[in-house]
Amino acid sequence: MTTFPTARDVRTTPEGLLWEPSERRVRGIKGDITVVDSRHPVLVWEPDMPVPLYAFPRADVREDLLRPAKNPQTGTHTGSQVFYDLEADGELVENAAWTFPAADLAGHIAFAWFLRWDSGLDHWYEEDEEIFIHPRDPHKRVDAMPSSRHVQVEIDGMLVADTHRPVLLFETGLPTRYYIPCEDVRLDLLDATDFRTGCPYKGRAEYWSSRTGTNIVWSYPDPLPAVSAIKGLLAFYNEAVDITVDEHRLERPVTPFTERLK
């Protein structure tokens, strides 16, 4: 009989990996083929990665679709791994999966998602909800809260947004984001772009640039249900604009986005 660790187990391996089991059903699909379908996934945090990835018991992976990698990406992940190419739906995807050397994770196969590496799978689901970019971190909160604070946004000294009805989004590890109704934003000073991103907590975002050409404004036209309050509202990168809240000018934070916004 196969046994699994309980949801309360959190462990660190000698290689520096942090891992814990998840009780969510996770599926990965390539074309019309389900490559992974697991009710016992394991969340794994690598030392240099701020977000987790999943590793799955071998029994939950279509190993018949995996081949020893022809060009293994040595040094890509923590420890000495065995890499696999994936052959599914008429396509060969190199280095789609790998194993960790940690004894705790023996018998598991990991798949990357989309934050740093493209896993080659087309869709990932936690339960029946599609998830984008990376697995959700169970230690992270994202709360969208309507507010009556007075929020003003300036770009290069010009007032581009002024509202008393923002939605404040509090996300663990990031600055508070201020989502503002379109009617309270000078849209004539912004240009719509083709740039798009995804977030496992919020959904798919579209962007606008300032006249300097930098994508500093975004919106979620169809956000995930947990943050439905931000639907259609506009947010500005605190790192690139000046935001005043209740007459108090906020300092520009330094985050992983800062360099990209210069």
Side-chain angles (χ1 to χ4, degrees), residues 91-113:
E91 183 179 348
L92 179 67
V93 182
E94 293 189 347
N95 297 293
W98 70 93
T99 60
F100 286 112
D104 284 355
L105 299 175
H108 289 72
I109 297 177
F111 285 78
W113 287 26

Side-chain angles (χ1 to χ4, degrees), residues 153-155 160-161 177-182 184-197 205-221 232-241 243 260-261:
V153 181
E154 295 180 34
I155 299 177
V160 296
R177 301 300 191 188
Y178 300 89
Y179 283 78
I180 300 173
C182 293
D184 297 338
V185 177
R186 287 280 306 276
L187 296 177
D188 59 303
L189 300 177
L190 304 174
D191 295 315
T193 73
D194 294 330
F195 186 61
R196 300 290 186 270
T197 62
E206 56 189 23
Y207 284 75
W208 288 259
S209 68
S210 65
R211 295 301 162 85
T212 62
T214 305
N215 293 313
I216 60 172
V217 185
W218 72 90
S219 178
Y220 289 90
L233 306 186
L234 300 178
F236 293 75
Y237 275 111
N238 311 43
E239 299 88 336
V241 302
I243 298 179
R260 180 168 65 80
L261 293 167

Side-chain angles (χ1 to χ4, degrees), residues 20 24 43 45 52 136-141 201:
E20 65 177 303
R24 301 182 184 190
L43 284 162
W45 287 262
R136 291 173 175 168
D137 188 329
H139 304 286
K140 186 170 185 174
R141 286 187 63 101
Y201 308 101

Side-chain angles (χ1 to χ4, degrees), residues 58-78:
R58 285 182 175 273
D60 298 340
V61 177
R62 286 283 305 274
E63 287 196 78
D64 60 303
L65 303 176
L66 300 180
R67 313 280 184 266
K70 293 182 179 180
N71 302 295
Q73 294 179 330
T74 56
T76 305
H77 298 283
T78 303

